[in-house]
Structures are given as structure tokens and as C-alpha cells.
Amino acid sequence: MATITIDDRQYTVEEGRNLIDAAADLGIDIPHFCYHPGLAPDGNCRMCLTEMEIRPGQFGIVTSCTIRIKDGMNFRFNSPAVLDNRKGIMEFLLINHPLDCPWCDQAGECKLQDHSFDHGRGHSRFVETKRVPPKKDLGPHITLYTTRCILCQRCTRFCDEITGTSELGVVQMGSKSEIATFEGVPLDNKMSANVADICPVGALVTKDFLYKPRIWHYEKVNTLCPGCATGCNTTLEVLHQKIYRTRPRHNEAVNGHWMCDEGRFCYHDWQDADRLQSPLKRVDGELRQVTWPDAMDAAVSGIRSVLDGEGDSAMGVVGSSMATNEENYLLSKLGKEAFGSSTTGLNRKPDGEAWTSKSGFRIAADKAPNSRGAGDMLGADSLDDILRGIGDGTIRGLYVLGGDIGQTLPPEVAEAFGKLDFLVVHDVRLSDLADLADVVFPGAIPFEKNGTMTNAQGRVQRLNPAFPQAGGAREDGAILGYVGQRMGIEMGGTDPAEILEEISGRVEGYGGLTYDLVGDQGVMKGGEEPSEAAGG
Amino acid sequence: MAAALEILTADPTAGADPGDIDAYIAGGGYGAVRKALKSMSQAELIEEINASGIKGRGGAGFSTGMKWNLCADRYPRYLCANADESEPGSFKDRLLLETKPHQIVEGMIITCYALGINLGYIYIRGEFFQIIDQMEAALEDARKHGFLGADILDTGFDLELYVHPGAGAYICGEETGLIESLEGNRPYPRLKPPYFPAAIGLWGQPTIVNNVETMAQIATIVDMGAEAYKEIGSEEDTTGPRLFGLCGHVKNPGIYEYDSGVTLRELIYDAAGGIRDDNRLKGVIPGGISAPILTPEEIDTPMGFGALGKLGSMGGTGGIIVMDETTSMVDALLNASSFAAHESCGQCTPCREGVPWMNDILRRIQNGKGREEDLDLLLDICKQIHGHTVCVFGQAPGVWPVRTILVKYWPEFRACIERKELVVLPVDESYLRPDQYEHIPPLPGNFRLKAEEADAAG
């Protein structure tokens, strides 16, 4: 730790920390545009200039973003020289900036707007003609409103330092400088949309979030990306039960400040999916919509007939890597206590492409968010035991959690499931899996769930619902609880926080975990330290 | 009248092609290299340069010996000879590059030997394409004669020198911009600290960036010996010969070699033969466009770095721009400002936005559309840029000409605004007298009207 002086008051801060970040820790805002904690400092915007004691009694102007805290440093954040500079920089940045805040999507979260309000002058002294460079289509996700750009170069540094793809650069010189791509090489990398997040103004915007409702109307929900086993921390922006935007939420141990484009935009697939509106029951070989009590009766009597006819071990359970730890735990409990079954399985997604950025940000090959947690809850990480049981005739019925909008069943699994006497499925749409079932319960998608998931590193993290379950769907935990009750066992509460407490007493590695402990940054299960942080 | 010198302007090839290495050697060329490598240790050479009292000829007048001493104790080290001469009004490097390519190579070899450098670059302004070819040829010839390559003159010292064509921007002459350009990047000057490339430079290694004239002078120092060299000029104003390039409204524009004690009046009226058509002098920029202008009352100053510094101006590159009574100072400033607006690299906000804004305002004033508040606005913009930029560009060609020409020729600017047209006032009415403005040290170009103070007080 180091003791520093700011405007004649002493503070204790972390040695070696960047001055802007150290001041932010103390609740002091040093206005800046080009500095971003996820990128190397560049010092080009000149907004963060403060005065530092260079020799005893003598202060000089320095860029806060390049200062690393050392013991005894002495700063002036509010001297006339500092305040005059801020006013000057604001004037310079605004002379060519269009006053199109009324239709700019950045309005409300624009640093230029905020700092203009705090440090700018009320009127313009600029009577010349503004520069009006045309807007540019930079790539599949990003448009550049060139007039709004303040050339802080966060975006070019992102492409240089984080993705290493360097699609963006500056062309021309001086006041004609513009952010641009090379001809024929669009901004098209796996993380391209992050440049819109870090753009301090409305210059870089995603095509996905263009001309949308004002940002202050949204409810912000902190949750996880369901796109892969990295488990990027995200914030959803939700209005009228609809997600409008996903943005990465800073978690140094997981995703840093970033997320991939696939994960960012995957909410469309989920939210636009053709969801099941009610439970389904097979009648005369066809799935028909039925009421909840009907479906429940059918499920319970079907399970009973398997158990009665074939014995306890004839019902197996198959968990889902799309479902939360709590749901998978309840399923495993249902299997053990109601079915008396010890055969469990996990229906894994086939691996996709893994990718690691220059900075170390990872996209996992496992495209499901909770394979690790589901495996921990079920004590199984594949369908091997289940398929063997079906093959040798010891398993005659299955209770399967589905829940993936994208998945198709491999032919051998579909064939095996087709041999069963009775199949209960939770799913979110009429999938290959649901197609084989005798009873289908409409479950929730990850954006509707409350619970925890365990990412590939073994980090247990919180999932929060953006909106209630669509249509006639229910939370999977509640469905499992009701089935258990009808089967005559004590399932306990179905509140995920309570279930996690139960898990913490029973599942190895989850000891002592509570919602509070998991918090919004997650915690490593079993107190393990991650072998390598995935963020970058 | 100070006597003209003929040291750097001497013709070592006796009329032969300046690139002819055999003629150069016949005239005593590469003697300095032999002397340095064969008879002097590295420490002795560094001491010799320190003792010579030479100040770098790039414009800032920074002690070359001190720059060398700042070199961090890490290897490899690199040398960059800066031949990106593009300061308006300056053409002395060009003369040396054209007439003394081998003397520059000599200086570079000696510098590299002294500092333990095995790889050097000569960064030549892109527009000097002919010079680039000549310099390539000179390096090739030096290589053939064993002055470059492995085991030079059997001393065990290895050195390679390369020509690097510049990227066609003024900012490439800023030493850290030059290094970025050499590395293949946009020539955005680097953040300070580190203040000197001698600590962290090219590829992160200690790097000496010296002007090409300085390189040529290094050979001269070794040739003459520091004792003799020191006799020329003075420690404060810089020792050794200086090249002054006179251009503008003089009868005989060209490069003249004097010691730094020569006065501006002597250079204009004696060396360059006076003003064209025997017109009256209106103003003179003493060292490239960035050097703050001097009025006719200030031309009896010696041309040393120290002497000009006392006037709030600077020695700069020694490129002297002379303006006669027909010149509109609004035009002159607009010209300087257009250059700055065009050449601002665009990296940092104050320079990128402020310098072109001032250019717009000046163009408006030239067009007779100046407003009452414009002159104060210009000075205010200067204040907002000054000291707030990444590199010195924002203030040197960006702010200093505006601040000094505007303050010193205030009446002419006022007249343009009041009469709503471009006005050229008679010389005597066009500028303020030294008691009407003041310079605020330590930086050059920081002028303000004394009337301002009175206005503020009253």
C-alpha cells in the first residue's frame, strides 16, 4: 500500500495501481476518454491531465492514465490549471462533434455528454464549418458514425491488444483523421462488438442496438451468457419482457471486460424461439397439448408403471448442461429418492470450436454453460451408463431435462430413447428430444432462470432471470418439485437459494456455498484457484 | 562583421561529385573515422564531444554530449540520424546531404563507435528521393571501402548503417515519431516519460536520435579536436560553426556559415545582400517556422541559441525567413498556421482540434470576416493547447507562431478586423514596440500583450 496526497488530503491506495483506477476506488472521478482499464494507457485524449508534484514544491501537468501509484505522490485534481485544461479539451472535442444527441443511441451513457455537463462551457465559441465525414459500415456488426468520433483509439487498441486482429486503424492526418478498416478487410472477428461497448461516444454502434429505446428505460439484469462453458458475466438490458442488449460485465477471473459476438447476440435465438406454450402428452401416438394437471397425472402414472413393472432401477434420469446446478440437483434427488435409481446421465452437446484471443480471452469448445456443474450434481458427465442400461434392458424409462434450443439428438441416442417404455422430458421447444417423449413439460430458457452454474474453470456463478417464463412454461425446479411431491417424497423448497444451501451440505466441492458468497463475481468451487484466468 | 566560415561548407572533393568516395578520401575524408577508431577509446571520444560544447542542430539546441550521457547502460543500442528536414524555412540538412554525404556517414560511424552501437539508421525525408538514392550509394561505397560492415579498419568494431525513407510527414522528425515510423507504425510521438529515447527508444532499446548536421559536426570535432572546435562560437550559444539558411525577401537567399555570434542584421544585410528592392524589413523568423518572429527592432541579436532564447525566440534550425514591408502578417501567420494544421498528426486532442480551428479563424480574418472577439479567442486557444499535448508539435509550429506574430503585429490584425479586409500597414505602424508586450519564460513563444494586463486591472 502507498500513501498519496490528493488536493492536500491523504489517502492510502494500492501501490502500482493506475492513478485513474486508484482515484475511482476512492470515489474520485478523473474524467477521461481514451483510458480503459482493459487496455494499455494511450494518453491521447488529454482529458485526464492532473498536476503532480515533480520536484519538492513544483507541480507539473501529467496524464493520470500513465501514472502508477508510488508512495508519497502528491496530486492536485482541482487546481485552476487542471480545470482549465478540462474545459479546453471539452471545447476542442465538441467543436466538430455533431449535436445529434436526440437521435444518438449513446445518449444517456455518453462520456462526452457527461463530461460536457460537468466540465464544458454552456455555449460554443466555434463559428466555423464542422467536419462532416460520412458514416461507414465497418463490418457485420459495427457501424461507425464518423462525425461523432473523438479519436480516442480505444477501438484500434482493442483490435491490436485484445483480439490481435488489427482490423481498425487511423487513416489521414490531423483533423482529417478517421477510424477505418483496410479496404476489403472488414471488422469481422469473434469479439468485434466489444468496440461498441468501449467507444466512449456514439461513434461505434452495433447494428443490433441501433435506433432502440433510450438506455435509461431498461432494467439491467446481471446474469451469465449461456453460449459456452466460459460463463461470461453479462448485463442484460430488458424492457417490456424483452432483451434489447447484452453487454459484458467485468469479471477479471472470467471474461475481463469482454465477451464474444456469438454470446452477445445469442439472446435473439432464445428469445425468438418458437416456445412450447403448454405441457404435451402422447395420445394415440401423437403429442397433444394438455393441461398441467393432466400432464402431471400422465407423468406420475407412467413413471409408476415403469417402476412397478420393472423395479426401482428401471427409471433413469438425464440432466442438462443448459440447466442450473439446482435443477440438476433436484433431478438427481428425484431419481434417488422417488425412483430409487442410481443411474444418471448427462446429455452433452457435441463440442464446437474453441478459440483463444491474443489477450487470453477464451471461447470454450463446450457450447453449453453448465456441463461442469450438471456433472457435479449428477455424478455423471455422459450418457454412457444410460445407453448401456437401455441397451441391456435394465432401464425402461427416463426423466430427461432438455432445454437447448439448438441441439439435435445424435442418431444413436434418438434410437436408444425410442426403445423406452416411458419418457418424460422438460424442453423449451418441440425438439427431437421432445418428439420422442410421452410427456413434455415446457421449461424455462436460461434467460428466465434463477440459480447457479459452474463454468469450465470450476467457478460457481449466479444466473438471474431477465423476465418470467414465457407463455405456459414453468421453472424446471418447480416442475421437478411438484413431480417429486406427487411421487410421495419430500423435495424440500424449490427456491434456488435454499437448494444451493442443501447442495452445499451434500455435493463435494460445493461445501459452504451460499448465494451471498457467490455474489455477482462468483466463487471457485472447493476453494480452488483457477489454473488460468480466462479473461483478458 | 563576423567572418564567414568555411568548415561545413568546404568542398572536400575539390569539385568532384560529392558522392565520389575516392575524391573524398583523397581530400582527407574518413580521416576522422581512422583517428577515432584507431587512436581513441570510447570514453575518450565521449569526453571529446562533451568537451566540444556542441549543441544539437535539430532545433532545440540540446547538448549532444548530455544526450549521449543519458544513454542507458543496455545493449543493443541504436543510432538514428534524423534527416527528416521539413521545418518550413529550413534547408541546411538538404545541403549537407547533397554535398557531404560521406561526412555524415563519418559522423555516424564515430558516434556508433563511441556509444557501442552496431546498427544505425539514417531517416531521410521521403520527398528527398534523390538524396535517398545518393545516400544509399554513399553507404554502399563506404561498405566497399571497409568503413562499414564487420571488423572496420581491423578494430573489431562491426557496424551496419541503413537508409530509411521517411513517411512524408513533418511529425516523423519528432524523435519518438521517427522511432515509431522506423518501427513501421504511424509516427505518433510517444508519451513522455520516458523523456529520452536514450533510455527507451527503438524496439525498446536505448537509442540516440541526432540531427544529420550534428552527425557531420561530430566528424568535424574529431578532425579539429575539441579544443579548436570550442574556439568557434560560445558555450552558451553553441560552439562550432552554424549553417544559416536565408530565404524569403532577401537579395541572395542561400546557406551561410558563421559562428553563433553573428547577428541577424549581419546575416540579412551583409551575407544575404539585404532586402529585395531595398524594401524595409517587417519581420524575420530566425530558425524555422516554429521560432518566434523578431521585429525590425530586435535584429541586432546574435544568432546563438542562448541569445535568441533571451528574446523569447529560439535558435531552431537556423532557417531564417525574412519578410519585407509588402508582407501581410495575417497572410504570413495563416501560411504558418496552414502548415501546422496540415501536419498535426492527429494523435492528441488539443493539437488535432485546436490548431486547425486557429487556421479557420485566421482564414476568416484574411477574408475580411474577422470578429471583434477573434484575436482574444486565438490567444485563448493557444493557452488551451500550450503544454497540454503529447509532443512539442502542438506548441512549436502550432502555438508559438500564432502567439508571437499575433501579439507583436497586433495593430495589423486589429486593422484587418476593423476594416473588414486584408490590410498591410506601413512597417512602423504594423508592430508593437518591445515595451508593449512581454515574454513569459521559460519556454519560447509565450508572449502576451502588456495592455492585456492593464485591461484586466482597469
Side-chain angles (χ1 to χ4, degrees), chain B residues 12 36 53 98 107 142 148 167 179 208 253 282 311 316 360 408 424 435 454:
Chain B
E98 283 174 348
L148 290 176
I179 287 171
I208 292 294
K282 187 160 179 181
L311 287 175
D360 286 352
K408 290 187 179 180
V424 181
D435 59 349

Side-chain angles (χ1 to χ4, degrees), chain A residues 190-425:
Chain A
K190 288 184 184 294
M191 300 170 74
S192 69
N194 288 290
V195 298
D197 296 337
I198 59 176
C199 183
V201 296
L204 291 167
V205 290
T206 62
K207 293 173 186 174
D208 190 53
F209 190 75
L210 193 58
Y211 315 131
K212 289 290 190 291
R214 287 321 206 172
I215 60 103
W216 51 86
H217 293 308
Y218 298 111
E219 184 197 346
K220 297 196 174 179
V221 180
N222 288 347
T223 187
L224 305 173
C225 172
C228 82
T230 297
C232 287
N233 293 205
T234 61
T235 299
L236 305 174
E237 292 176 23
V238 183
L239 181 65
H240 300 146
Q241 307 201 2
K242 198 176 153 197
I243 299 168
Y244 278 84
R245 179 163 69 165
T246 310
R247 302 182 96 187
R249 177 162 53 87
H250 180 224
N251 188 335
E252 208 54 50
V254 181
N255 53 311
H257 298 269
W258 325 115
M259 73 184 298
C260 75
D261 292 354
E262 204 178 325
R264 179 188 301 262
F265 299 120
C266 78
Y267 73 89
H268 283 294
D269 297 340
W270 292 97
Q271 128 175 322
D272 303 342
D274 191 10
R275 297 280 296 279
L276 288 175
Q277 296 298 317
S278 80
L280 305 173
K281 183 170 93 173
R282 194 166 294 279
V283 181
D284 300 332
E286 265 180 45
L287 286 174
R288 299 232 177 110
Q289 293 200 353
V290 290
T291 61
W292 277 95
D294 252 9
M296 204 53 77
D297 287 345
V300 170
S301 66
I303 293 167
R304 286 237 162 86
S305 78
V306 171
L307 296 176
D308 292 348
E310 310 284 339
D312 270 2
S313 57
M315 267 311 282
V317 294
V318 175
S320 169
S321 45
M322 285 292 163
T324 62
N325 290 332
E326 292 70 23
E327 289 159 354
N328 281 300
Y329 174 79
L330 282 184
L331 176 72
S332 142
K333 186 173 174 182
L334 183 73
K336 275 183 210 141
E337 297 185 12
F339 309 161
S341 161
S342 56
T343 315
T344 54
L346 178 62
N347 190 13
R348 296 279 303 261
K349 262 183 118 144
D351 275 357
E353 190 194 348
W355 182 81
T356 305
S357 81
K358 181 184 179 188
S359 66
F361 175 89
R362 286 186 209 169
I363 300 175
D366 181 356
K367 300 301 173 194
N370 196 31
S371 302
R372 183 144 181 198
D376 292 340
M377 297 305 136
L378 295 156
D381 59 5
S382 72
L383 280 175
D384 293 352
D385 292 348
I386 295 286
L387 293 178
R388 202 174 305 119
I390 298 174
D392 63 22
T394 52
I395 292 178
R396 303 303 306 151
L398 278 183
Y399 196 110
V400 180
L401 294 188
D404 186 350
I405 37 159
Q407 193 174 8
T408 51
L409 281 183
E412 67 275 15
V413 176
E415 196 194 327
F417 284 11
K419 292 180 192 160
L420 295 166
D421 293 341
F422 192 67
L423 177 63
V424 182
V425 162

Side-chain angles (χ1 to χ4, degrees), chain A residues 400-510:
Chain A
V400 180
L401 294 188
D404 186 350
I405 37 159
Q407 193 174 8
T408 51
L409 281 183
E412 67 275 15
V413 176
E415 196 194 327
F417 284 11
K419 292 180 192 160
L420 295 166
D421 293 341
F422 192 67
L423 177 63
V424 182
V425 162
H426 288 206
D427 215 336
V428 293
R429 63 175 185 120
L430 204 55
S431 63
D432 301 6
L433 175 64
D435 235 11
L436 297 169
D438 295 291
V439 176
V440 182
F441 291 118
I445 60 172
F447 294 104
E448 297 164 345
K449 287 181 189 214
N450 188 345
T452 65
M453 288 186 167
T454 309
N455 77 358
Q457 301 165 283
R459 193 172 194 85
V460 183
Q461 309 189 94
R462 279 288 307 279
L463 201 64
N464 287 303
F467 34 65
Q469 297 78 42
R474 294 283 181 277
E475 270 190 80
D476 298 79
I479 302 169
L480 289 165
Y482 195 57
V483 171
Q485 205 178 24
R486 290 285 304 268
M487 294 294 294
I489 60 156
E490 185 49 61
M491 289 291 274
T494 53
D495 172 46
E498 287 172 29
I499 300 168
L500 182 64
E501 271 177 50
E502 192 177 321
I503 290 171
S504 75
R506 300 200 187 171
V507 181
E508 200 190 330
Y510 289 74

